[in-house]
Amino acid sequence: MRSAYPFNQGWLYCAQDVAHGLSDDGFVGVTLPHTNIPLPYHNFDDREYQFVSTYRKRFTLPEPLNGRRLLVEFEGAMTAATVSINGHTFPEHRGGFVPFTLDITPHLDETSDNLLSVRLDSTERKDIPPFGHTVDYLVFGGLYREVNLTYVEPVYIENVFVKPRSVLSGSPSVEVDIRLRNVGDTDRTVGLYVAYGREDAPDAPAEATTPIAPTVTVPAGGVHTLSVTLTDIPAPALWSPDSPTLYRLVTHLMDGGRGATIDRRWTRFGFREAQFKDDGFYLNGQRLQLMGLNRHQNYPFIGAAAPARLQRKDAEILKHELGVNIVRTSHYPQSRHFLDRCDELGLIVFEEIPGWQHIGDADWKSLALRDVRAMIERDHNHPSIIIWGVRINESWDDHDFYTETNALARQLDPTRPTGGVRFFMGSEFLEDVYTYNDFSNRILEPENTPHLVTEYNGHMFPTKSWDHDQRRVEHAHRHLLVQNFARGMGGVSGAIGWCAFDYNTHREFGAGDRICYHGVMDIFRLPKYAAFSYLSQTPPSVRPVLQIASNWKAGDYNEGATIQPVTVLTNCDYVEAFVGEKLQGKFYPDRETYAHLPHPPIMMKDLDIRLAFPWHDLRVVGYVNDQPVIEQSIAADGVPARLELSVDDAELYADGADMTRVIFRITDKYGNPLQYAVAVVTLDVEGPADLLGETVFPLVGGQAAVYLRARHEAGQITIRANTPRLTPAHVTVNLV
Ligand code: GAL
């Protein structure tokens, strides 16, 4: 029978290339996910993480083999991994965005210690996508995703692909493709049984009772793939952004047809119909306008080595703090934890293969094709994924190569369309959806349909959290304008902006401090005004939103008058504004400029203010159905009033890897971050956990964050923050 163990604890790490046989001197204990070098969040050399390192794991078998095979799966080893076990070395695995699995059985010592080691080359190897030319993102090194150890019988279930069909018809069905592998040296006869049910149902099936293939023979050393269709499916609950119902299918593999269960796998899936048509995108038969943002998988300080909790949090931020309905995993397959959370939240996903503008030689292309396969075979059951990106982002046309990537994707997954992100008009349309990066500051007339805009803004208007207010406001308007265009044009399925979060990049791109400031949130995932351009498009019944896009400091503008109009990003029907105690009137959404947005911004004009006259607080109250539902005030005095400290999670697992974000802000008396509060914040921690990031933090932009990582001991953690002239703050976290 299969049994699986997470294999993330007790690794040894050395930031050098150490031969397999040498001693452990110079190694330190680490837990996975692990970055090969911790870095500051900016101002570092982008060659610092590009080196060869060594990981080792000494282990005894957690249980006897009993005739089974032992597989070790690396979910992400960046960028090229040469794995050895007890002196046997496997061929190098190239590419860190997709998993790989090795059968280590023949090389194991069943009775004593085993040594698994990984020589990890984290340099930008020109033979591996996305490299070969300069790339606008940093590909941080390390065993940065999880490792799993799995026992399987010589014949086992290698892959399950659950394909709900005709879900909107009166007679939906579920097609299940199952790939069985037999690594033994005799043919094996087995039987297959399945059951499925809603994941949240109390009686979600554990035992498979429906025979789908009573006897199947899997040849020695070979694979057998079968496809069966389950019919008589009672009306399923559909998966959608508002109601992301998930199902589980359990597959049992029985020895000799109906003997003992020798393998069992659970597959999560959802019933939904996603279609790109010439006039837009349809989910479950209804036109759905896609509004989204691109996401890079990198984080400040920890590279790409974010544990499940942080991966899941990014999906939550996109859904709840940005209010988008689609995310593009630019420019590579991302963590399964992120995708799982997208499934659970109803956040639609565009996933694509690794690459950035450059196409390499034949060997490089064969790796890109391998990536198409690995991405689809890993992720084809996620209902959130509605399209596969099978071009190298923004590369030139390559007829033969892209004919092949498209054919492979369609063969592996006939249920989803292909896209391929291009950045020039006239590019050959080999895909099912014309996915286009449109940097015109509007939306160009589609030259092909179905049409989806996969990037806009970005380098057209990089914006920092502490930039001049006017720029930050314009940044917010530019995002609104493109969304307004997208919604106003027939035939545009939607638009995915560049990008959700600021990210680390090479010296050639970004601001020179190794950050590209194209996010609507900063690198800590804290909002700029433009974040509310998106969030304010949510219906007020989901959540009322009101953000004044102004620092309310007239003297920071060229003349007192230019602080007006004051933009309010909101989904309210109207707002009332008060300067001091004085009501300025009611203000309504700007439907003239933004005719197609569900919730245009409100432009407050003719407020009774004059530079050099006594300056008063601004208070804006939002109304829905004539009821006040939300308000925001901004202090006129600009005096730092509070140091705020918060954590995203009050509880962490004491597993040496779990992390949460620790946010700190210097705010006015109403809690608004003061963008120009440039101050040193000192952080310290008491208890068995570590802060990752600068603990003497030169704060700019009024807000920033570090991460708290649990050690292996349960207990209570207290984090304290200090800054001159303000009351210290503290917060506690439990480790369980
Ligand atoms: C695009 C590219 C993105 C990013 C962006 C910056 O051309 O696809 O990866 O570099 O520009 O605006």
Side-chain angles (χ1 to χ4, degrees):
M1 186 62 181
R2 174 185 293 261
S3 61
Y5 295 84
F7 211 47
N8 304 311
Q9 301 291 331
W11 284 80
L12 295 167
Y13 173 70
C14 178
Q16 281 170 17
D17 184 2
V18 187
H20 193 69
L22 298 182
S23 83
D24 291 343
D25 290 352
F27 282 75
V28 292
V30 298
T31 307
L32 309 184
H34 180 255
T35 185
N36 64 353
I37 183 169
L39 288 165
Y41 76 94
H42 69 158
N43 290 321
F44 55 87
D45 189 327
D46 41 309
R47 289 168 302 201
E48 283 180 61
Y49 59 88
Q50 293 186 46
F51 56 88
V52 176
S53 62
T54 310
Y55 287 84
R56 281 182 180 172
K57 169 102 176 128
R58 295 186 181 279
F59 67 103
T60 52
L61 292 192
E63 53 180 278
L65 282 172
N66 287 338
R68 291 172 299 171
R69 314 294 293 193
L70 193 57
L71 310 179
V72 57
E73 181 200 27
F74 291 84
E75 293 192 33
M78 199 65 87
T79 287
T82 308
V83 178
S84 303
I85 172 94
N86 299 334
H88 171 85
T89 299
F90 291 92
E92 183 183 59
H93 179 271
R94 293 181 290 163
F97 294 107
V98 293
F100 64 97
T101 299
L102 301 170
D103 182 348
I104 56 175
T105 323
H107 318 289
L108 286 173
D109 186 333
E110 279 206 64
T111 53
S112 97
D113 274 0
N114 292 279
L115 171 62
L116 183 73
S117 71
V118 184
R119 176 189 188 272
L120 191 64
D121 183 351
S122 304
T123 62
E124 294 201 347
R125 287 255 303 260
K126 290 192 186 317
D127 58 328
I128 306 174
F131 306 122
H133 200 68
T134 315
V135 173
D136 176 19
Y137 50 92
L138 299 188
V139 179
F140 292 107
L143 291 185
Y144 78 107
R145 291 183 187 157
E146 287 83 351
V147 176
N148 307 297
L149 198 64
T150 307
Y151 290 76
V152 289
E153 297 293 333
V155 58
Y156 62 96
I157 304 167
E158 190 174 61
N159 195 287
V160 178
F161 184 8
V162 182
K163 294 181 276 187
R165 297 291 213 176
S166 314
V167 302
L168 304 183
S169 74
S171 51
S173 59
V174 176
E175 214 173 283
V176 189
D177 294 351
I178 300 171
R179 188 167 73 223
L180 303 174
R181 182 171 290 278
N182 180 0
V183 291
D185 45 20
T186 51
D187 294 357
R188 290 286 295 272
T189 300
V190 290
L192 273 167
Y193 292 74
V194 295
Y196 75 93
R198 269 177 79 136
E199 189 177 51
D200 57 2
D203 54 351
E207 292 307 316
T209 46
T210 311
I212 55 167
T215 49
V216 181
T217 302
V218 193
V223 295
H224 181 88
T225 304
L226 72 158
S227 186
V228 289
T229 302
L230 311 176
T231 49
D232 295 327
I233 308 282
L238 300 180
W239 183 93
S240 71
D242 293 335
S243 175
T245 310
L246 294 168
Y247 283 74
R248 278 207 316 179
L249 178 108
V250 58
T251 313
H252 282 207
L253 185 70
M254 315 286 215
D255 197 15
R258 219 180 164 157
T261 301
I262 51 176
D263 200 359
R264 181 165 45 197
R265 295 205 66 171
W266 278 273
T267 309
R268 190 153 89 159
F269 71 101
F271 289 88
R272 94 286 183 277
E273 185 188 84
Q275 282 182 322
F276 285 91
K277 297 188 186 173
D278 290 338
D279 66 340
F281 175 72
Y282 287 76
L283 187 74
N284 301 329
Q286 309 266 319
R287 174 85 169 81
L288 177 69
Q289 181 68 21
L290 296 173
M291 177 183 78
L293 289 162
N294 283 269
R295 178 218 184 209
H296 267 304
Q297 68 173 7
N298 293 339
Y299 293 74
F301 318 116
I302 57 172
R309 189 185 301 275
L310 295 189
Q311 299 285 350
R312 293 171 64 81
K313 179 73 186 175
D314 263 10
E316 288 158 16
I317 290 171
L318 283 153
K319 171 91 180 181
H320 299 309
E321 296 176 35
L322 291 165
V324 295
N325 59 18
I326 184 168
V327 57
R328 172 171 168 231
T329 65
S330 51
H331 300 298
Y332 36 75
Q334 300 191 352
S335 157
R336 73 179 150 99
H337 302 296
F338 177 74
L339 298 171
D340 283 345
R341 195 68 185 129
C342 291
D343 289 342
E344 293 162 12
L345 292 168
L347 181 59
I348 296 170
V349 178
F350 177 132
E351 188 169 48
E352 69 187 357
I353 54 170
W356 202 83
Q357 297 194 350
H358 165 80
I359 303 176
D361 62 10
D363 173 56
W364 191 102
K365 287 179 187 174
S366 70
L367 286 182
L369 282 157
R370 186 276 321 263
D371 286 338
V372 170
R373 177 181 291 280
M375 168 177 80
I376 294 177
E377 290 197 338
R378 189 193 68 164
D379 292 336
H380 50 195
N381 292 310
H382 289 284
S384 56
I385 298 177
I386 55 151
I387 184 169
W388 302 118
V390 300
R391 270 182 192 238
I392 303 308
N393 169 64
E394 294 191 337
S395 52
W396 297 106
D397 283 348
D398 183 326
H399 177 83
D400 293 349
F401 178 39
Y402 291 138
T403 302
E404 237 185 305
T405 58
N406 273 284
L408 180 61
R410 289 177 184 132
Q411 176 220 319
L412 293 169
D413 182 2
T415 73
R416 287 182 180 86
T418 60
V421 173
R422 47 179 56 74
F423 65 157
F424 62 99
M425 283 285 185
S427 153
E428 191 183 10
F429 188 23
L430 296 166
E431 292 74 21
D432 302 313
V433 183
Y434 200 74
T435 46
Y436 182 67
N437 287 353
D438 192 331
F439 291 106
S440 64
N441 281 327
R442 48 198 296 261
I443 302 258
L444 299 176
E445 202 55 50
E447 54 174 356
N448 286 297
T449 52
H451 185 94
L452 174 67
V453 175
T454 35
E455 289 183 35
Y456 56 86
N457 287 357
H459 56 279
M460 312 308 290
F461 209 72
T463 303
K464 303 179 186 70
S465 297
W466 62 95
D467 269 343
H468 191 275
D469 216 37
Q470 263 169 321
R471 188 173 184 89
R472 287 185 281 125
V473 176
E474 185 175 344
H475 185 225
H477 279 283
R478 282 176 176 237
H479 279 270
L480 289 168
L481 273 172
V482 177
Q483 282 298 331
N484 186 57
F485 267 109
R487 287 170 194 261
M489 292 169 76
V492 179
S493 304
I496 307 175
W498 191 264
C499 58
F501 315 127
D502 291 347
Y503 55 97
N504 290 128
T505 191
H506 286 298
R507 65 196 70 196
E508 288 79 2
F509 305 97
D513 63 346
R514 303 302 182 272
I515 292 187
C516 180
Y517 291 92
H518 294 178
V520 300
M521 291 184 146
D522 67 16
I523 199 165
F524 309 106
R525 282 78 167 140
L526 298 171
K528 305 174 190 174
Y529 294 150
F532 297 95
S533 303
Y534 291 86
L535 189 65
S536 61
Q537 302 314 310
T538 337
S541 53
V542 173
R543 67 178 81 74
V545 178
L546 189 156
Q547 172 67 42
I548 305 169
S550 172
N551 65 2
W552 193 238
K553 302 292 170 286
D556 198 28
Y557 281 73
N558 301 335
E559 296 171 10
T562 61
I563 195 170
Q564 299 202 58
V566 172
T567 300
V568 182
L569 300 162
T570 183
N571 53 8
C572 292
D573 299 337
Y574 62 87
V575 297
E576 279 180 354
F578 298 82
V579 173
E581 294 301 310
K582 199 167 157 201
L583 177 63
Q584 305 289 307
K586 282 185 185 171
F587 299 90
Y588 292 86
D590 178 3
R591 298 204 183 279
E592 212 170 298
T593 318
Y594 298 101
H596 308 292
L597 289 181
H599 300 289
I602 293 178
M603 309 298 289
M604 302 193 305
K605 296 190 187 96
D606 303 323
L607 302 178
D608 180 18
I609 48 173
R610 270 165 295 166
L611 189 60
F613 279 69
W615 196 247
H616 299 286
D617 294 356
L618 173 67
R619 185 161 76 96
V620 178
V621 184
Y623 286 80
V624 174
N625 298 330
D626 289 324
Q627 297 300 313
V629 290
I630 186 169
E631 67 170 71
Q632 186 190 359
S633 295
I634 303 187
D637 63 19
V639 172
R642 278 201 297 275
L643 171 63
E644 289 186 354
L645 182 68
S646 63
V647 285
D648 287 338
D649 303 275
E651 199 168 278
L652 292 181
Y653 299 122
D655 66 356
D658 201 7
M659 289 185 208
T660 190
R661 181 174 59 162
V662 181
I663 302 169
F664 44 99
R665 294 190 165 97
I666 292 180
T667 71
D668 71 6
K669 65 182 173 199
Y670 297 116
N672 304 295
L674 287 168
Q675 279 94 358
Y676 304 148
V678 178
V680 170
V681 176
T682 315
L683 298 148
D684 65 78
V685 59
E686 196 184 297
D690 298 294
L691 288 175
L692 307 182
E694 282 93 325
T695 48
V696 179
F697 205 112
L699 183 67
V700 286
Q703 52 186 0
V706 295
Y707 295 100
L708 179 78
R709 184 176 60 201
R711 293 189 198 150
H712 288 92
E713 249 176 85
Q716 206 192 49
I717 303 298
T718 303
I719 307 161
R720 293 197 177 79
N722 274 280
T723 195
R725 295 162 51 85
L726 290 177
T727 309
H730 74 274
V731 67
T732 57
V733 174
N734 284 320
L735 304 182
V736 295

